[in-house]
Amino acid sequence: RGVLSDSYRRLDSRPLLDAFVGACQEVGAQPYEGVASDIRSSVRVIIPRVYEPVPGEAMVFGLAWQNSDFGAGAFGISAFVLRLICLNGLVGASELKKVHLGSRLEDLALSQATYDLDTKTLASATADVVRGVLSEGAIENRLDLVRRAHATETNWSKAVRSVGQSLSKAESTKVREAFEGNDTVMLPPGQSMWRFSNALSWVANSTESPDRKIELQNLAGAVLS
């Protein structure tokens, strides 16, 4: 599944996920979705409370945990928004991101205990991030992002430039059809960055590859910020 160099940072998924789940239980977050491939996994939880930052746009907030034990991505915890009428989900910038590559320690052989302590420290930071990001103040800040995106008018040319070359030709076609279409149920009405973000997450939901689904959800969240 992967060939790792001797500078690969060992981050064991199990204790990191255990810390994430434990902190989520403390703040009352509930499991919502899990996505896994042979090389990468993601788990999402939500706070069971409905928010409506703009009229008609009911949504919930949560966190997405992701990691790869095979070097196919960084360990991260990201806040996300889930639009309830269509279950479009967009993942924001990572609140805690650790790449697996670290400084090479020449010929020094580290003990397993050292690797375990490194993971334990990151697990503690994981719990801290969960408590902070799911606080009322942090959620209110993300509600403001939604309001601004909803109020920011755009068109296809402007909107697609915000994601650069991140979409394939086929994906770009699907997102454009959704963004410029007449559907105002599965996607928010109007020509706004909020609609564009939801068009991205809508296409993500129909993507067969678990890895690409995670990437498109992250891209949808990046549009808001």
Side-chain angles (χ1 to χ4, degrees):
R1 295 179 179 178
V3 178
L4 308 180
S5 73
D6 55 2
S7 61
Y8 180 82
R9 186 179 184 189
R10 301 183 190 178
L11 296 177
D12 188 359
S13 289
R14 181 56 186 266
L16 297 176
L17 182 56
D18 283 347
F20 177 76
V21 171
C24 287
Q25 290 175 331
E26 288 181 23
V27 300
Q30 300 293 319
Y32 165 68
E33 181 185 49
V35 178
S37 70
D38 288 339
I39 58 175
R40 181 161 52 179
S41 58
S42 174
V43 175
R44 300 207 289 174
V45 300
I46 60 172
I47 292 292
R49 175 181 173 184
V50 178
Y51 296 84
E52 192 173 0
V54 294
E57 289 294 291
M59 60 193 64
V60 293
F61 289 86
L63 285 179
W65 175 100
Q66 66 180 41
N67 193 37
S68 170
D69 286 325
F70 305 98
F75 167 68
I77 301 172
S78 308
F80 74 88
V81 180
L82 185 66
R83 186 171 180 261
L84 292 179
I85 195 170
C86 59
L87 299 185
N88 285 343
L90 39 135
V91 179
S94 181
E95 305 291 341
L96 176 62
K97 184 176 183 180
K98 291 290 183 181
V99 295
H100 287 276
L101 292 175
S103 299
R104 184 175 177 179
L105 298 178
E106 297 298 331
D107 297 323
L108 177 64
L110 299 179
S111 68
Q112 184 59 46
T114 298
Y115 290 120
D116 291 343
L117 285 172
D118 186 37
T119 300
K120 186 176 181 179
T121 298
L122 193 53
S124 179
T126 293
D128 291 340
V129 166
V130 171
R131 299 183 191 103
V133 175
L134 293 183
S135 68
E136 281 299 315
I139 289 176
E140 184 57 38
N141 288 337
R142 284 187 286 281
L143 287 170
D144 285 338
L145 286 178
V146 172
R147 294 184 187 106
R148 288 199 293 269
H150 186 270
T152 302
E153 295 185 2
T154 188
N155 57 41
W156 170 253
S157 297
K158 292 180 181 178
V160 75
R161 283 200 295 270
S162 68
V163 297
Q165 303 298 315
S166 301
L167 297 175
S168 68
K169 185 176 181 180
E171 289 169 345
S172 181
T173 298
K174 290 180 181 179
V175 174
R176 182 171 187 173
E177 288 175 351
F179 176 74
E180 296 185 334
N182 297 320
D183 191 339
T184 57
V185 176
M186 295 303 176
L187 298 177
Q191 297 285 290
S192 67
M193 289 303 292
W194 176 236
R195 180 178 175 90
F196 177 65
S197 177
N198 274 269
L200 285 166
S201 57
W202 174 251
V203 171
N205 288 343
S206 61
T207 300
E208 293 184 2
S209 166
D211 291 324
R212 188 55 179 162
K213 179 177 181 178
I214 293 171
E215 291 166 356
L216 289 175
Q217 288 173 340
N218 289 336
L219 188 63
V223 166
L224 292 188
S225 56

